[in-house]
Amino acid sequence: MSRRSRRQSFRVDRPSARLLVVSAVLLDLLFVVGAVAAWPIYRAPAFVMVVAIALASAHVIAWAGVRWRLSGWWLALLTFGVYVVLGLPVVAPAMLTGGGDQALRGLVGVITAPVTGWKDLLTLDLPLGTYQTTLAPVFLIWLSVPVAALSLAWRARRLWVLAPLLGLLLPIFGVLFGAAALSDPLAWGPLMIPGPIEMAVGAAAVLLALAYVVWRTLDDRRRSLRAAEAATGIRTTGRSGSAVAGRIAISAAMVTIAVAAGAIAAPLAVAGQPRDVLRERIDPRLEIQAQLSPLAQYRSFFADDRYDEVLFSIATDADRVRLATLSYYDGRLARVLDPSVDGSDQTTAFVRVPSSLPAPGGTVPATADVTIAAYDDVWMPTVGSLTGIQFRGESSSALADGFFYSPSAQTGVVLGGTALTTGLGYRQEAAVPTSLPAVADLVPGRTSPQLLPATVPESLTDWIRAQEAPGGGEGLALLIERLRARGFLSHALSIDAERPPLWRAELGDYTFEPSRAGHSTDRIDAMFTALLQRETDVGGEDDALLVAAVGDDEQFSVAAAMIADQLGFAVRIVLGARLTGDELPRCEDGGCRGGDVSAWIEVQDASGVWVPVDVTPQHENAMSPDVLEVRDPEVPTEVHPEGAEQVLPGDADPADNGERSDDPLPESVDWAAIWAGARIGAITLSALLLVTGPFLLVLLLKAVRRRSRRSAPDPVGRVTGGWDEYVDAAVDSGLPAPGTRTRQEVADLHGAGDHGSRATLLATWADRSVFDAEPTTSADSDRFWETVEAERSRLLAERGWWARLRARLSLRSLTRRTRT
């Protein structure tokens, strides 16, 4: 068939304007419903613009496929090319104009979005806004899915039924990557409808898909009847207007009843069931749980090499800077996360921060400019409640990707191998409380303690009863005040008297007392046992004579938290530094040294506000000598060496270690660098497989098909398989498909000149092998396949490089039997 005749037949098969317009309108409505379902993920005007540009581009690409009859592979390549070219200016125009480095990172983010974009969608807190390239998956999905759906609707004769099914993927995207919480329920008299927006979106999507299927079925039937009338001259009798109206009314009533029944039954069916979305499956809590307790490392800041070293500098109007919030205590360690709670607990979830977070009520905006010096931990210095953050420097993009924040705990961390380095800076937007109530005015929100009884020493509850303090905030203020006044500050188990540590020298007239590290229940029990014993020995209420508990913020913060819990307050421990005040250590001129790090507790009032309470013990009143002197036993103990048995020490508790060894740890393999390289290689390989995998799959399928045909057990089967191989090669090269034609008709259709004689020879040979009485031999089948391979090579040799590649990757031969 000549090229002109093929064009003419194509014009006959070209879809009508009515089919193009109606199909596009119905499917576009389905695409828009999908955009409505995904709107809560972003809630930004840029999302609307990205969807509009993607849909417009999809219509142009699909129409180009119809106009020039492009194959599926060319449509896929054209779609991916449009995505790459328009991706960065559409989804992240700010990165395009932000300089070469920003533009390059944005382009990489757009290209890798099909592989890694889901991570940004699931680990960032909603709404995402226009954060970096998080809109790239939207542009890709609202471009590729409509191209495929419109191409099927406009060009496929039977597979058009897949078009609305592809359109339903867009609302599903909004559900899977959306929030776990439904929209506010809708009350209609005694009927309560949960998630009315989600229900409306789902119903609209299903009804639109159904409407398209019904319309297309009726349209195909109408065109078939017209074709039959044109071929036979026999007119069909249509239904009367009343019959059509009746059918429409019945159908509409059935759909209305089904939707109404679903709206009523669905809430009852899913009542009490959680809404499972992909967002709930991603949680960085595993990396956070692998970190040591920040409070267990408290005394490391008071070593001489860190005590006077500036960790970071901060410029802000806030009065405190927070490093970590520890809300859980298990009797051994105070922790940021409760290891007994699974990752579905959203109240303790750490999420990536989008462009901004909402400010809590009763707050005013504040800013903090932070510059990292010698601080290298994962816990980020922050103030107040974070509402936004902008990193500065070469590694700003990597830090933004690795930064996670817990709004409930007001704690930020840097994970994923990203580290804080000297010179790193960032600007934090925050919200700080307008005013805070006094501790004595606080009202507890509970009536019973929350800590497990096994984690609270009996000596602490005995000491609380011995103070005869009132309840509520007044009692909390009194008990914390007495605890601090009767405690004594010490940061070490022992010191060198000739070369005292820097913290000892800065305290001035100070009498050293040994204090072991750790904040386990046993350590807290020792403190309150000493306090009770001192009260028994001395009596009275003179705090200067009742000093007996030795420790620092590590122990006293845990002790104060236990006291607040016993009084019914929600409480948490905070590790950070003070920026104002003269009575306790604070950061001078915004430079926070190791010796400025402290710990305090935050107590929650019944109104929900958290109030900081300092717990650092005093150091002016030394412990009385009569408490420290220990007399030797008056009755000597008789020792029998020959009967002594060796008793091995118990397992060491890392939380109760006193002095830590200064010996360097043995060097180990840098698995972080190896893992980073392996991850980059895996991402690169995945991207290559994503791009080349479909092409390799087509080549593999054709090779397997050819091998099975050539190795058929029967010589006749090998000959007929060789004919099928020739026909497939001709179809992939652009020649017409055989349809219902015989072999000789196909040879005449494909043949011209000498080539036609070879095609006729193959057709005659194949017919003879099937119908001739003389059996076909294996030698005949081998010669037949040699002729087939020569004809395949000729068909490819007559074309250019691109045409040969397109023929090898063509899907026409794989789908021609389905079309037939």
Side-chain angles (χ1 to χ4, degrees):
M1 178 182 290
S2 65
R3 181 178 299 178
R4 182 177 180 181
S5 61
R6 289 200 300 268
R7 287 181 178 175
Q8 290 176 349
S9 65
F10 171 62
R11 290 194 185 100
V12 172
D13 294 336
R14 181 176 293 177
S16 64
R18 181 172 180 271
L19 176 64
L20 292 174
V21 173
V22 178
S23 296
V25 169
L26 291 176
L27 292 177
D28 283 345
L29 291 175
L30 183 57
F31 302 151
V32 171
V33 170
V36 173
W39 165 258
I41 302 177
Y42 294 91
R43 295 186 183 276
F47 170 79
V48 179
M49 183 192 70
V50 170
V51 170
I53 295 176
L55 289 179
S57 303
H59 282 71
V60 173
I61 296 172
W63 166 246
V66 174
R67 175 64 180 82
W68 288 285
R69 204 175 186 183
L70 300 178
S71 66
W73 289 114
W74 282 108
L75 279 176
L77 289 175
L78 183 59
T79 303
F80 187 73
V82 171
Y83 168 73
V84 173
V85 173
L86 298 182
L88 186 58
V90 170
V91 306
M95 299 185 72
L96 182 62
T97 59
D101 293 340
Q102 288 283 346
L104 181 59
R105 282 195 291 268
L107 181 60
V108 172
V110 169
I111 294 176
T112 59
V115 180
T116 61
W118 62 269
K119 177 182 177 182
D120 293 333
L121 297 181
L122 296 178
T123 56
L124 282 168
D125 197 13
L126 299 182
L128 302 180
T130 57
Y131 178 72
Q132 294 189 359
T133 58
T134 52
L135 282 168
V138 172
F139 185 61
L140 175 63
I141 294 174
W142 262 262
L143 177 67
S144 58
V145 171
V147 166
L150 290 172
S151 298
L152 288 171
W154 288 346
R155 301 175 63 181
R157 296 181 178 178
R158 291 180 175 84
L159 295 181
W160 59 262
V161 72
L162 298 179
L165 297 180
L166 288 175
L168 289 175
L169 294 177
L170 302 182
I172 292 175
F173 169 83
V175 173
L176 293 180
F177 290 91
L182 295 173
S183 58
D184 295 335
L186 177 64
W188 188 19
L191 182 63
M192 182 69 67
I193 302 177
I197 296 178
E198 290 78 9
M199 184 176 298
V201 168
V206 173
L207 291 178
L208 285 171
L210 179 62
Y212 176 79
V213 172
V214 172
W215 173 83
R216 184 61 184 267
T217 303
L218 295 177
D219 185 72
D220 286 352
R221 181 178 181 274
R222 186 183 304 110
R223 287 190 288 109
S224 299
L225 290 176
R226 289 178 180 175
E229 290 176 357
T232 62
I234 301 175
R235 289 285 180 178
T236 59
T237 303
R239 298 184 180 93
S240 63
S242 60
V244 173
R247 292 171 64 90
I248 294 176
I250 293 174
S251 300
M254 292 176 63
V255 171
T256 303
I257 293 173
V259 172
I264 297 174
L268 300 178
V270 300
Q273 299 297 323
R275 187 191 189 200
D276 292 330
V277 295
L278 295 178
R279 176 171 302 275
E280 295 181 338
R281 308 305 179 196
I282 304 297
D283 197 339
R285 60 186 297 111
L286 293 180
E287 289 192 51
I288 296 177
Q289 287 178 349
Q291 301 293 328
L292 294 176
S293 170
L295 194 61
Q297 305 176 75
Y298 174 75
R299 289 199 176 181
S300 65
F301 292 106
F302 291 86
D304 284 354
D305 59 340
R306 302 194 71 184
Y307 183 79
D308 253 346
E309 189 176 36
V310 177
L311 304 178
F312 56 87
S313 299
I314 183 170
T316 181
D317 294 333
D319 59 351
R320 297 173 189 260
V321 56
R322 180 191 311 266
L323 296 179
T325 302
L326 302 97
S327 304
Y328 304 96
Y329 181 72
D330 59 4
R332 295 181 61 250
L333 295 171
R335 304 177 185 271
V336 175
L337 295 177
D338 185 359
S340 64
V341 177
D342 59 22
S344 62
D345 185 4
Q346 295 299 307
T347 61
T348 60
F350 279 77
V351 296
R352 296 177 62 196
V353 179
S355 56
S356 63
L357 291 175
T363 59
V364 294
T367 58
D369 288 303
V370 182
T371 302
I372 301 298
Y375 184 71
D376 58 357
D377 211 338
V378 299
W379 314 102
M380 289 281 293
T382 58
V383 300
S385 297
L386 183 141
T387 57
I389 190 168
Q390 299 86 35
F391 292 93
R392 301 188 298 267
E394 297 180 354
S395 59
S396 59
S397 179
L399 286 167
D401 290 339
F403 178 67
F404 291 81
Y405 185 73
S406 173
S408 60
Q410 299 179 347
T411 299
V413 293
V414 177
L415 303 175
T418 310
L420 299 177
T421 57
T422 302
L424 167 70
Y426 57 90
R427 181 180 181 86
Q428 180 205 342
E429 304 293 335
V432 296
T434 306
S435 61
L436 292 174
V439 177
D441 297 333
L442 298 180
V443 177
R446 300 192 301 249
T447 58
S448 60
Q450 293 297 304
L451 289 175
L452 296 176
T455 63
V456 180
E458 186 178 354
S459 58
L460 181 141
T461 56
D462 291 342
W463 183 82
I464 293 176
R465 285 192 294 267
Q467 307 312 306
E468 298 180 352
E474 185 180 356
L476 177 65
L478 176 62
L479 292 174
I480 298 298
E481 180 184 356
R482 289 184 179 179
L483 177 65
R484 296 178 60 191
R486 299 175 186 182
F488 190 77
L489 181 64
S490 178
H491 296 298
L493 184 62
S494 63
I495 61 174
D496 187 350
E498 297 180 358
R499 298 182 58 185
L502 295 178
W503 67 264
R504 161 67 181 82
E506 191 167 299
L507 292 179
D509 186 12
Y510 172 82
T511 302
F512 172 75
E513 298 293 343
S515 167
R516 62 187 177 98
H519 52 274
S520 65
T521 300
D522 175 71
R523 179 70 176 87
I524 306 304
D525 180 50
M527 290 174 51
F528 284 95
T529 299
L531 288 172
L532 288 172
Q533 183 63 41
R534 183 60 179 171
E535 288 187 12
T536 301
D537 295 343
V538 176
E541 296 183 357
D542 189 350
D543 292 332
L545 298 178
L546 297 176
V547 177
V550 186
D552 53 19
D553 288 359
E554 179 185 2
Q555 294 80 39
F556 278 79
S557 61
V558 175
M562 290 182 176
I563 293 174
D565 179 73
Q566 292 295 311
L567 296 181
F569 288 98
V571 62
R572 59 193 187 188
I573 300 170
V574 178
L575 184 71
R578 305 176 188 88
L579 303 177
T580 59
D582 297 325
E583 298 181 357
L584 297 172
R586 64 181 179 90
C587 302
E588 295 287 346
D589 299 326
C592 295
R593 308 170 304 153
D596 296 327
V597 176
S598 60
W600 60 86
I601 65 171
E602 287 184 345
V603 180
Q604 189 178 39
D605 183 58
S607 61
V609 64
W610 290 91
V611 179
V613 181
D614 290 316
V615 297
T616 304
Q618 57 85 34
H619 61 274
E620 291 83 6
N621 298 322
M623 298 179 64
S624 301
D626 56 339
V627 177
L628 300 177
E629 292 178 357
V630 179
R631 298 166 55 188
D632 294 332
E634 298 180 359
V635 180
T637 303
E638 184 178 0
V639 181
H640 301 279
E642 64 280 3
E645 295 182 1
Q646 182 180 7
V647 179
L648 297 177
D651 294 337
D653 187 348
D656 288 340
N657 284 346
E659 294 295 327
R660 291 172 171 82
S661 173
D662 295 331
D663 296 337
L665 295 175
E667 296 184 358
S668 59
V669 180
D670 188 4
W671 291 105
I674 297 176
W675 170 247
R679 189 172 66 134
I680 294 174
I683 292 175
T684 304
L685 180 61
S686 300
L688 290 176
L689 290 177
L690 181 67
V691 175
T692 63
F695 303 101
L696 297 177
L697 179 61
V698 172
L699 295 177
L700 178 63
L701 290 175
K702 290 186 177 183
V704 171
R705 181 183 63 184
R706 183 164 54 251
R707 180 180 179 86
S708 64
R709 288 170 174 174
R710 193 163 188 172
S711 60
D714 181 37
V716 176
R718 290 198 289 271
V719 171
T720 56
W723 170 257
D724 289 337
E725 187 67 23
Y726 160 74
V727 173
D728 288 339
V731 171
D732 286 339
S733 299
L735 296 177
T740 58
R741 299 178 180 91
T742 65
R743 292 188 181 93
Q744 294 297 331
E745 291 173 342
V746 172
D748 295 339
L749 185 66
H750 291 177
D754 295 338
H755 305 326
S757 61
R758 283 195 291 269
T760 303
L761 174 63
L762 289 174
T764 304
W765 204 339
D767 286 340
R768 184 179 300 160
S769 67
V770 175
F771 301 110
D772 200 346
E774 184 178 350
T776 302
T777 64
S778 297
D780 294 336
S781 65
D782 292 340
R783 289 197 302 274
F784 186 88
W785 266 95
E786 292 175 0
T787 306
V788 170
E789 293 294 345
E791 192 66 9
R792 286 183 67 252
S793 301
R794 180 192 64 79
L795 289 172
L796 294 176
E798 291 179 347
R799 288 160 174 77
W801 185 85
W802 276 107
R804 290 197 300 271
L805 178 62
R806 184 171 60 183
R808 293 182 186 277
L809 298 177
S810 175
L811 296 176
R812 295 182 64 198
S813 65
L814 296 175
T815 59
R816 68 180 180 90
R817 288 178 175 79
T818 302
R819 290 196 300 269
T820 302

